[in-house]
Amino acid sequence: MSQDSAAPETGRKLSGRRRREVVAVLLFSGGPIFESSIPLSVFGIDRQDAGVPRYRLLVCAGEDGPLRTTGGLELTAPYGLEAISRAGTVVVPAWRSITSPPPAEALDALRRAHEEGARIVGLCTGAFVLAAAGLLDGRPATTHWMYAPTLAKRYPSVHVDPRELFVDDGDVLTSAGTAAGIDLCLHIVRTDHGTEAAGALARRLVVPPRRSGGQERYLDRSLPEEIGADPLAEVVAWALEHLHEQFDVETLAARAYMSRRTFDRRFRSLTGSAPLQWLITQRVLQAQRLLETSDYSVDEVAGRCGFRSPVALRGHFRRQLGSSPAAYRAAYRARRPQGDPAGPSGQPGPPGVVESMVPSQVPSAARRAAAASTATGPAAASAAPPEHGHGHAHGYGKPHADAFTGGRAALPGQRSAP
């Protein structure tokens, strides 16, 4: 896909009473103020002097106020749900709880807006509101990586992709957490008014016009708490205790007394992740810990994490973290506070340092973990895929296919409908 291809046709004509330049932002009590402020800043401030076309903003209360937000602040929205009927774009910036249902009146308003041709946008946990309204059924979507398994489990008809910064499916768009909301709002401006306008807005906001990579470098693929009561929990616990051994998903399926197909389906329904990708990610996380807390060579780390060779470790490590194992260790040690002991082998390193070690400006390499999901034999979970892509802008590849993406090509950090 080209870097700035137009948004796909939605197939619905915008109702005559709605206007493309009108953006309604739907706020709820308990929503985080940062996510809520993103569309307000992007679409609510007149920046025509900087070459940014103007939108008309309608801030709408999704329920009776006052609306309480981060820090105990109380907000009063100037409009109610009725104002959504004028908007060509409706944004749900966040939802207060992934475990509680949104108000029925708000869901009805979103469905009507969608039926009348409006573009519906969910930022971060706003995807749960769109899913509750049925607007994500059969569609690709994303949300914060931490909540993606819950979204996939609660709404199994949604094709959840926890790796993307945002997903554009034409008339329904979703983003990952917090700052990814800025990425999606910039994408909307780019779609509506072109690259120059989006670039001018990005300069005003002092953010990149388009970030490279996705959520992969931030992912923690630990399993959600809900799996604790499931029979698969014992199999998962065994896998985590035996990461130093070479085994594959077939082995896990056998321990669960399931066929490979049944195990894959059951694992995905519980976690939102393919079991092979989860296993590879756990091996990479274990390699991170050993690189931080031990003096083992990279070859030894590979063996202690179940990779068949250092080459396999380096390939998966770079794909997930954008850095080689040796460079990661060097950066970690260089940034460790002065006087902080390295820690004995196998002991935890200083807390809070791990995230800062991941190079924030190094684009992640090709993401093709799912291509290995059809492999069999002991090497399946540890073999590094070949380094080749599919001609994306910036030269990044995508998985050939997996449970989330359906094999669609996209820009780095973003996936759009074909």
Side-chain angles (χ1 to χ4, degrees), residues 284 286-302 304-305 313-314 317-318 321-336 342-347 350 353-354 356-359:
V284 170
Q286 176 69 359
Q288 271 187 280
R289 289 188 283 268
L290 291 179
L291 290 167
E292 294 163 5
T293 61
S294 77
D295 292 323
Y296 295 130
S297 68
V298 173
D299 288 19
E300 289 174 314
V301 168
R304 289 173 178 270
C305 296
L313 167 62
R314 291 186 181 97
F317 200 95
R318 183 175 292 279
L321 298 176
S323 172
S324 69
Y328 179 90
R329 170 179 271 170
Y332 182 88
R333 292 183 173 178
R335 295 194 186 187
R336 187 166 48 225
S345 175
Q347 296 300 313
V353 183
V354 176
S356 67
M357 295 309 102
V358 181

Side-chain angles (χ1 to χ4, degrees), residues 17-18 105 107-117:
R17 61 180 175 174
R18 297 181 181 275
E105 296 82 0
L107 299 181
D108 288 340
L110 288 171
R111 293 187 194 103
R112 284 195 301 272
H114 183 250
E115 290 169 359
E116 295 177 1

Side-chain angles (χ1 to χ4, degrees), residues 124-365:
C124 193
T125 52
F128 283 81
V129 179
L130 273 58
L135 302 183
L136 297 181
D137 290 352
R139 290 177 176 266
T142 193
T143 188
H144 192 294
W145 60 262
M146 189 167 59
Y147 305 125
T150 302
L151 183 64
K153 180 180 179 181
R154 187 163 300 157
Y155 302 99
S157 62
V158 181
H159 306 308
V160 182
D161 189 342
R163 299 168 304 177
E164 305 294 347
L165 292 177
F166 63 86
V167 173
D168 179 347
D169 198 43
D171 54 352
V172 178
L173 304 88
T174 51
S175 82
T178 314
I182 300 177
D183 296 309
L184 179 50
C185 288
L186 284 173
H187 170 73
I188 291 172
V189 174
R190 185 181 303 112
T191 299
D192 290 348
H193 301 290
T195 303
E196 187 173 344
L201 176 57
R203 287 191 293 273
R204 276 296 184 94
L205 297 176
V206 197
V207 296
R210 180 187 286 116
R211 283 196 292 166
S212 299
Q215 295 191 78
E216 285 175 315
R217 66 186 60 182
Y218 311 110
L219 249 61
D220 174 2
R221 288 289 178 85
S222 300
L223 295 175
E225 293 180 2
E226 299 102 284
I227 198 174
D230 191 273
L232 283 187
E234 184 177 344
V235 176
V236 169
W238 181 90
L240 293 174
E241 292 173 1
H242 293 78
L243 289 175
H244 59 284
E245 300 177 10
Q246 291 180 15
F247 60 87
D248 61 1
V249 178
E250 295 284 357
T251 302
L252 300 182
R255 293 189 68 86
Y257 301 101
M258 297 179 184
S259 68
R260 171 64 185 270
R261 177 177 295 182
T262 300
F263 181 80
D264 281 5
R265 183 172 62 250
R266 182 71 179 140
F267 195 95
R268 276 198 198 98
S269 70
L270 285 171
T271 70
S273 175
L276 177 66
Q277 182 56 45
W278 177 84
L279 180 57
I280 292 173
T281 301
Q282 295 306 317
R283 295 192 189 281
V284 170
L285 290 174
Q286 176 69 359
Q288 271 187 280
R289 289 188 283 268
L290 291 179
L291 290 167
E292 294 163 5
T293 61
S294 77
D295 292 323
Y296 295 130
S297 68
V298 173
D299 288 19
E300 289 174 314
V301 168
R304 289 173 178 270
C305 296
F307 290 103
R308 289 181 62 85
S309 70
V311 173
L313 167 62
R314 291 186 181 97
H316 289 300
F317 200 95
R318 183 175 292 279
R319 270 182 288 279
Q320 293 200 26
L321 298 176
S323 172
S324 69
Y328 179 90
R329 170 179 271 170
Y332 182 88
R333 292 183 173 178
R335 295 194 186 187
R336 187 166 48 225
Q338 290 293 328
D340 187 36
S345 175
Q347 296 300 313
V353 183
V354 176
E355 289 185 358
S356 67
M357 295 309 102
V358 181
S360 61
Q361 298 300 322
V362 180
S364 61

